[in-house]
Amino acid sequence: MAGLRRKWRPSLAFVLGGGLAGTLVLSLLGLIALRYLGPEIGFRNAAGLLAVLIGCATGLLGYLMVRLLLRPISALAAYSGAIEQGQRADPPDHYGTQELSRLAGSVLGMAETLQRREASIRVFADHVTHELKTPVTAIRAAGELLSETETLSDQDRALLHQILGASDQMQTQLSALNSVAKARVPEHHGIVALNDIANEISVSFPELNLSIEGGDQTLPLAASGLRIVLKQLLDNARRHGAGRVYLSAEPGRLNVQDDGPGISGGNRDQIFDPFFTTTREQGGTGMGLTIAANLLAAHGGQISLEHSETGTRFEVLFPRC
């Protein structure tokens, strides 16, 4: 960034004003030159000569505009797009005007900040899961060892059952935390159709009767990413008693409708909040929809809960390619 400040660059006002002034001056000089050259060499010859000179001068102005404005803006847009797609890219080496230089510095700084934050989230999740995995496993092992003791009273066994259940819940939450961190890393770029993963999804959820419409429609997300999103949504439907799920794909859109009891009005605004769940007793972590929403957001998509007369309907919108 220090190198950007040391190199002199014209201001945007100077470039635009110079371009407009140059165009105006060329027009006036052309009229004046035609007035005096016409009688000397003929108006046709004078007009031809002036057209060549004005064309060259206009080409020079155009080159300066491209170099000082179009090229830096295009390079900055390409760099930002590459960062958004999770790809490695070299920052632009030419920034044109002073304003574009400051804008480029802000964009580069923002990209570095976002990358550091994403990395810190992943490192924090990995650290927490690593540090807690050992004590949680030890608690689980100790609980299982105690459960083999025949002298425990009914009250002690009930307490031991709660301890084992709590350790299982902690392990599930740690796995969910790690999945959320992974879901925020944009690694699932590509295209996929529902038919490509239909068999795998059906095997993973044998309790659900899946109905697919638009199975050949390609969606702008890799199979690995769509698989994660659908597994979270289908697991949510299964836990809430659904027996049938309808998947409907169309350009840039995916609808997931189940025949379950639906979501109450009091819970609709909280379903995407981390750790919010109504199925804690059945092993729900409250992170499934958060994982799906984070993964889609990392790839420019979004998910929303739509109104439905029966069951629950989610709408997934993908960015236009």
Side-chain angles (χ1 to χ4, degrees):
M1 296 297 295
L4 296 181
R5 299 189 186 95
R6 286 195 298 266
K7 185 177 179 179
W8 180 86
R9 293 177 178 83
S11 67
L12 183 60
F14 178 81
V15 172
L16 294 178
L20 293 175
T23 303
L24 180 61
V25 169
L26 285 175
S27 301
L28 294 177
L29 290 179
L31 293 175
I32 295 173
L34 184 63
R35 167 69 175 81
Y36 289 99
L37 286 177
E40 298 293 333
I41 63 175
F43 285 97
R44 178 174 297 181
N45 294 333
L49 177 61
L50 290 175
V52 172
L53 295 176
I54 291 176
C56 293
T58 303
L60 177 61
L61 289 176
Y63 168 77
L64 292 176
M65 288 293 181
V66 169
R67 178 174 174 78
L68 295 176
L69 297 179
L70 182 59
R71 177 184 165 189
I73 292 174
S74 298
L76 188 60
Y79 174 77
S80 301
I83 295 299
E84 181 183 6
Q85 298 296 321
Q87 303 171 356
R88 292 186 177 274
D90 295 327
D93 58 357
H94 181 71
Y95 298 96
T97 66
Q98 298 173 7
E99 291 80 2
L100 288 178
S101 177
R102 290 194 295 269
L103 175 62
S106 299
V107 171
L108 295 178
M110 180 177 62
E112 293 175 358
T113 300
L114 291 176
Q115 290 174 332
R116 286 196 300 268
R117 288 180 179 177
E118 294 292 345
S120 66
I121 291 174
R122 183 65 181 274
V123 170
F124 174 75
D126 290 342
H127 174 74
V128 170
T129 53
H130 175 75
E131 292 296 324
L132 295 182
K133 186 175 182 179
T134 299
V136 170
T137 303
I139 293 173
R140 176 71 185 180
E144 292 177 347
L145 183 63
L146 287 175
S147 65
E148 299 177 357
T149 304
E150 299 179 354
T151 58
L152 291 178
S153 65
D154 293 340
Q155 184 176 4
D156 290 338
R157 290 193 178 279
L159 179 61
L160 181 59
H161 179 73
Q162 292 181 357
I163 292 174
L164 292 176
S167 66
D168 289 341
Q169 187 67 28
M170 291 175 67
Q171 288 179 331
T172 304
Q173 293 288 2
L174 289 175
S175 298
L177 176 63
N178 205 27
S179 297
V180 169
K182 291 180 180 179
R184 293 190 61 86
V185 181
E187 298 174 341
H188 307 287
H189 297 285
I191 59 174
V192 66
L194 287 176
N195 287 344
D196 297 335
I197 60 174
N199 291 336
E200 180 181 351
I201 295 296
S202 298
V203 171
S204 299
F205 298 91
E207 310 92 337
L208 298 177
N209 187 351
L210 299 182
S211 177
I212 297 178
E213 180 180 350
D216 294 329
Q217 174 64 53
T218 57
L219 300 171
L221 187 66
S224 57
L226 185 61
R227 190 181 299 116
I228 293 173
V229 172
L230 287 180
K231 284 187 175 181
Q232 301 300 338
L233 295 179
L234 295 180
D235 182 66
N236 186 72
R238 177 180 61 182
R239 290 182 184 276
H240 288 84
R244 177 181 289 273
V245 177
Y246 304 87
L247 305 177
S248 175
E250 55 188 80
R253 187 190 308 268
L254 172 64
N255 290 308
V256 181
Q257 169 83 54
D258 66 47
D259 63 350
I263 299 176
S264 65
N267 292 334
R268 293 180 66 88
D269 294 336
Q270 306 177 67
I271 61 171
F272 293 107
D273 293 344
F275 305 110
F276 174 79
T277 180
T278 58
T279 60
R280 186 76 65 185
E281 295 76 11
Q282 291 78 36
T285 63
M287 297 300 289
L289 294 179
T290 301
I291 292 172
N294 282 347
L295 188 148
L296 290 168
H299 295 77
Q302 62 182 33
I303 181 172
S304 60
L305 175 65
E306 300 298 312
H307 174 73
S308 177
E309 297 295 335
T310 58
T312 303
R313 184 168 74 91
F314 289 97
E315 181 183 66
V316 178
L317 296 179
F318 298 94
R320 295 189 178 276
C321 299

